[in-house]
Amino acid sequence: MPIAINFAAFMQRIHNQVRKTIFAVLDIFYPIFRRFMPLQTYHYAACGGTNTVLGLAVYFISYNFIFQKHILELGFIAFQPHIAAMILSFCVTFP
């Protein structure tokens, strides 16, 4: 069996396990929102909200602690610290 097929099957198992774990955690809080929205909408909103909070946290940490409010100079271009923090936050949360 080729290595690529083994790797794909391995990644599929990891994906399914992570998916089940995320849904199990989200489903703990679903009874609170049951009368407002269906389960699929709740899952979508909860994942989107979590991603937004993660993006804000990455921005805050990168702006204050990684770039330390200083200009990021790459030699051929320089970024203001808020722009560099936004780019880093985007790279973490968008994919």
Side-chain angles (χ1 to χ4, degrees), residues 23-95:
F23 282 162
V25 170
L26 289 178
D27 289 345
I28 293 170
F29 301 102
Y30 178 62
I32 298 169
F33 299 96
R34 181 175 306 190
R35 57 186 162 159
F36 301 117
M37 63 183 80
L39 183 62
Q40 185 175 5
T41 305
Y42 167 73
H43 283 164
Y44 186 79
C47 289
T50 302
N51 193 38
T52 300
V53 170
L54 175 65
L56 292 172
V58 169
Y59 178 86
F60 176 80
I61 290 169
S62 63
Y63 180 75
N64 289 305
F65 301 110
I66 296 174
F67 301 119
Q68 298 177 349
K69 302 178 185 176
H70 292 99
I71 295 174
L72 175 66
E73 294 186 34
L74 299 177
F76 60 93
I77 193 168
F79 292 105
Q80 293 291 324
H82 62 279
I83 299 298
M86 182 186 67
I87 291 170
L88 180 63
S89 176
F90 175 79
C91 290
V92 168
T93 58
F94 187 72

